[in-house]
Amino acid sequence: MEKEEAIKIWKELNISQVDFNFYCGGDSMGDTDMVFENKDNENCKVAYDKLFTYIEDLIYERVEFYDASDGHYMGEAGHVYVELNDNGDDFECSKTSESEWNETFRSIVGVPITDDEKTFIEKNVRSIVGGYDDSPMINYSRDLIITDKTEKMVGELLEKIDNHTQEFVPDFEDELGGGELQEWYTYDTSDINDIINKKGELVIPIDNNVCVYREE
């Protein structure tokens, strides 16, 4: 279809604008929806049937979509509005969108421990790691014999760590300006110099995933 014919149909059907709703990310275009609105703010299905292919091609030709995800930038969602220009001899496209970002937010979780657990950690533990769908695991700093009593204490310690990290909700709003907390998280004490804080708590640095939306 030629532009002149599309404009003629547009005017005959008294169309005011097209609203193209889109989401893209993961290196591809996602779900889209297109609505032709007439000047009475009604959905014009006749225009959709006649002009859909032409307007869709026009949008992809004139509007740039950012669908390349890299693990940090996830994609964008929004609207493209198509209207006739003031002279009525060409179409104009305008895009409004929000980009989606996967941010990592670090917090410190203090896990209360007993004196026996504190002594055991200081003597034997190099690091503690775990995360979402990964039970906590101890990397030992030396070889040691695990007695039944020690095994019971270690099991109780790991259960406490698992409960505290699962239930922890980070306070990320001020730093990130809002966002949606995701299920995924991970923790690793390898980079912590003092694994026991002044309160006598086990220090767990936890990284949570937060989905943040920013207007473009």
Side-chain angles (χ1 to χ4, degrees), residues 23 69-75 99-105 176 179-185 207-214:
Y23 173 79
S69 303
D70 59 9
H72 181 213
Y73 173 78
M74 303 304 293
S99 57
E100 179 182 344
W101 299 82
N102 187 24
E103 300 287 359
T104 300
F105 185 80
L176 298 181
E180 295 179 3
L181 182 64
Q182 307 298 294
E183 291 184 325
W184 184 91
Y185 64 90
D207 291 326
N208 290 92
N209 266 21
V210 180
C211 186
V212 178
Y213 301 94
R214 300 188 177 105

Side-chain angles (χ1 to χ4, degrees), residues 52-101:
F52 175 87
T53 300
Y54 178 86
I55 296 299
E56 183 181 55
D57 291 343
L58 178 80
I59 290 171
Y60 286 123
E61 177 185 339
R62 298 190 183 182
V63 179
E64 187 172 6
F65 297 97
Y66 304 102
D67 60 7
S69 303
D70 59 9
H72 181 213
Y73 173 78
M74 303 304 293
E76 65 170 343
H79 297 263
V80 174
Y81 298 101
V82 182
E83 299 174 302
L84 275 183
N85 64 13
D86 291 339
N87 295 327
D89 58 3
D90 199 1
F91 294 102
E92 295 179 336
C93 300
S94 60
K95 184 176 83 168
T96 62
S97 67
E98 285 185 332
S99 57
E100 179 182 344
W101 299 82

Side-chain angles (χ1 to χ4, degrees), residues 31 46 63-64 75 132 134 156 169 171 181 212-213:
D31 293 336
V46 175
V63 179
E64 187 172 6
Y132 179 71
D134 287 323
E156 292 172 349
V169 178
D171 185 13
L181 182 64
V212 178
Y213 301 94

